[in-house]
Amino acid sequence: MTESAEVDYSLGNPDTLTKYKTAAQISNKVLEAVIGWCTAGENILKLCERGDKLLEEETAKVYKGKKISKGIAHPTTISPTSFITPYTPLVSDPEEAALSLQPGDVIKIQLGAQIDGFGAIVCDTIVIPSDKNEGNKLPDRQADLLLATHWANELLLRLMLPSGLLSAPTEGDNAKPAPTKPVTQAKITNLLQKVVESYGCNLVESTTSWLFERNEIEGKKKIVLSPSEGVKGEGIPEVNEVWGVEIGVSLGTGKVKTLPNRPTLHRRTTTTYGLKRQSSRQTLSEIVKKFGTFPFSLRQLEDERAAKVGVVECVRGNVLRQYEIVGDKDGEAVARTFSTIAITKNGLTRLCTPPAPDLSKYQTDKKITDEEILKILEQPLARSTGSKSKSKKKKKKVAAKKPADDDDDSSDEED
């Protein structure tokens, strides 16, 4: 009996990219819906629950009848103004469960869907309208924060392109690109810090972008921006990889602190440990069945109160990773974005990403002036594909119909 061929889960398999794109479409759709629900007075817990319900409904509509996992890659979280990490209250904590959105809040909405273990996570920052929004425009410091975050994200995406990728020869092109060195992570932090400083802001320390793999959103490679002491990134982005790209920007110094709020997000690790308590084993069994290795909130478990007890031993034995709730050390407003991107031979594709901001709503006199940064921001994320071949095919058809009208081969586009 011959062994079945090992399944190729890389981007070299078109089915993999299709699943990522399907998950991303769902994430983008749900993010748009949640953003629309976020108005002053809305309860944060109920918004998170609605977001999760919509994620489950949308993933249930795709790949019907297929024996593959699908569902939530990251629960819906809504982080208040100075909170940095994803946050979602628990029903069993009355004080936090009562939290609602207030006018002027700078909130971070993060969520994600997964198909067959291929997760697509997205985060956007919005400001809850207040009486300071004259003519539906953001006042200066909020505008500075969101503009700094937007342009830092745009720059980071361009710096993540593999060195020389877009200047590499295309099919049929014999030209050799000039050799270039990969951008170091220290250089990336330096350039991004210049961007946010243009708007009077700072990078949030140790903001991390991760390599994504099947059933894994924190892979073997990572880019760490403004790393704290003892923290460093590993590896560089390469073709046929998917990454989760994060930007965090603060109106303060960018330094962080752990908040006293109960951690409610967890994720299963690869560690095996003999759990002694039956409640711990039951909780872990439910987690494995429902979430695999993707992050989850305790509120998503069948019995939230029992889960709060069951996860204690799991965390102590390192079977589960507990995500501490981290905030800005100065209590200042923080903005954050998260995009899931794919790097192919033709460049970078945004699978799911925050909606493009309406820059006309931002009232500020600040701007980026660094020539090196402005030059990088002008660069495309991917090479144009399809138009050349379509143009050639169209011209060849015209030439076949009217050969007398074309005396030479110069009608084809030059490479």
Side-chain angles (χ1 to χ4, degrees):
M1 187 174 178
T2 58
E3 293 185 4
S4 58
E6 186 176 344
V7 179
D8 177 14
Y9 291 117
S10 74
L11 288 188
N13 180 353
D15 189 44
T16 295
L17 187 56
T18 298
K19 289 173 179 175
Y20 268 121
K21 286 183 175 180
T22 303
Q25 288 170 355
I26 294 171
S27 298
N28 284 330
K29 180 177 181 178
V30 176
L31 175 64
E32 182 181 4
V34 176
I35 289 175
W37 300 337
C38 289
T39 57
E42 288 291 330
N43 179 268
I44 291 178
L45 173 60
K46 292 189 181 304
L47 289 170
C48 292
E49 291 176 329
R50 288 177 69 186
D52 285 353
K53 182 181 179 183
L54 187 55
L55 281 169
E56 290 171 346
E57 290 172 352
E58 293 299 320
T59 53
K61 295 176 183 178
V62 299
Y63 287 89
K64 290 184 176 180
K66 304 287 185 181
K67 292 185 177 181
I68 60 173
S69 67
K70 55 183 181 177
I72 297 176
H74 191 287
T76 305
T77 59
I78 298 178
S79 306
T81 299
S82 64
F83 284 43
I84 296 170
T85 50
Y87 170 75
T88 178
L90 299 182
V91 177
S92 55
D93 289 340
E95 185 176 343
E96 294 194 27
L99 289 175
S100 61
L101 301 179
Q102 302 300 316
D105 279 353
V106 180
I107 63 169
K108 283 72 67 178
I109 305 166
Q110 183 161 322
L111 53 85
Q114 65 92 5
I115 303 295
D116 197 19
F118 299 108
I121 299 173
V122 65
C123 174
D124 193 17
T125 297
I126 65 170
V127 178
I128 304 301
S130 70
D131 55 10
K132 294 182 180 180
N133 303 128
E134 296 180 11
N136 201 30
K137 292 187 176 183
L138 291 176
D140 52 1
R141 289 307 283 154
Q142 289 181 344
D144 291 339
L145 180 62
L146 296 194
L147 281 171
T149 306
H150 168 69
W151 290 120
N153 182 58
E154 289 298 310
L155 185 65
L156 177 56
L157 293 178
R158 284 159 176 78
L159 295 174
M160 288 183 66
L161 279 169
S163 180
L165 177 62
L166 298 188
S167 59
T170 55
E171 192 174 335
D173 185 359
N174 295 323
K176 292 184 178 180
T180 55
K181 292 182 179 180
V183 182
T184 65
Q185 296 205 18
K187 176 71 170 178
I188 291 175
T189 290
N190 179 264
L191 290 173
L192 292 174
Q193 183 61 29
K194 286 183 179 180
V195 169
V196 300
E197 283 179 351
S198 299
Y199 295 96
C201 301
N202 284 288
L203 290 173
V204 172
E205 66 176 336
S206 296
T207 299
T208 307
S209 298
W210 291 92
L211 172 69
F212 277 14
E213 298 170 345
R214 185 170 183 259
N215 294 317
E216 180 57 78
I217 60 169
E218 295 180 1
K220 299 174 183 177
K221 298 181 183 181
K222 60 182 178 180
I223 296 172
V224 183
L225 305 177
S226 189
S228 56
E229 187 176 351
V231 177
K232 65 177 183 178
E234 300 174 29
I236 58 174
E238 297 179 85
V239 172
N240 284 342
E241 290 182 346
V242 172
W243 281 72
V245 182
E246 184 171 19
I247 284 288
V249 179
S250 169
L251 286 179
T253 61
K255 299 298 182 182
V256 305
K257 66 178 180 181
T258 301
L259 300 178
N261 306 68
R262 174 194 291 274
T264 66
L265 291 181
H266 296 75
R267 179 170 175 257
R268 186 164 66 90
T269 69
T270 56
T271 301
T272 56
Y273 177 80
L275 297 172
K276 298 177 181 179
R277 298 174 62 93
Q278 184 179 357
S279 60
S280 304
R281 293 194 297 271
Q282 289 175 339
T283 298
L284 181 61
S285 176
E286 183 182 357
I287 290 167
V288 171
K289 183 178 179 181
K290 285 185 174 180
F291 312 111
T293 55
F294 288 102
F296 63 92
S297 169
L298 294 180
R299 63 175 171 74
Q300 294 173 282
L301 296 173
E302 194 69 31
D303 187 334
E304 184 183 293
R305 292 184 181 276
K308 288 163 74 172
V309 175
V311 297
V312 174
E313 186 184 5
C314 295
V315 171
R316 190 182 300 126
N318 199 33
V319 176
L320 293 179
R321 174 185 170 186
Q322 177 173 281
Y323 289 87
E324 300 294 336
I325 299 177
V326 175
D328 186 85
K329 190 174 183 178
D330 308 310
E332 293 284 356
V334 171
R336 197 164 56 80
T337 62
F338 195 103
S339 306
T340 302
I341 59 103
I343 302 173
T344 70
K345 63 180 181 180
N346 291 316
L348 185 148
T349 300
R350 304 178 202 240
L351 297 175
C352 56
T353 190
D358 181 356
L359 301 182
S360 66
K361 292 182 178 180
Y362 299 159
Q363 294 178 317
T364 182
D365 56 358
K366 300 182 180 67
K367 62 180 181 179
I368 301 168
T369 57
D370 187 283
E371 291 297 329
E372 181 184 10
I373 291 171
L374 292 172
K375 186 175 179 180
I376 296 172
L377 288 172
E378 290 176 357
Q379 297 172 5
L381 287 172
R383 63 165 58 96
S384 178
T385 59
S387 59
K388 182 185 293 186
S389 59
K390 288 179 182 178
S391 175
K392 286 186 176 182
K393 288 179 181 178
K394 184 176 180 180
K395 289 177 180 178
K396 285 178 180 178
K397 287 180 180 179
V398 172
K401 291 179 181 179
K402 299 182 179 180
D405 293 339
D406 195 358
D407 296 330
D408 52 43
D409 296 327
S410 62
S411 61
D412 282 358
E413 283 186 23
E414 294 180 2
D415 288 334

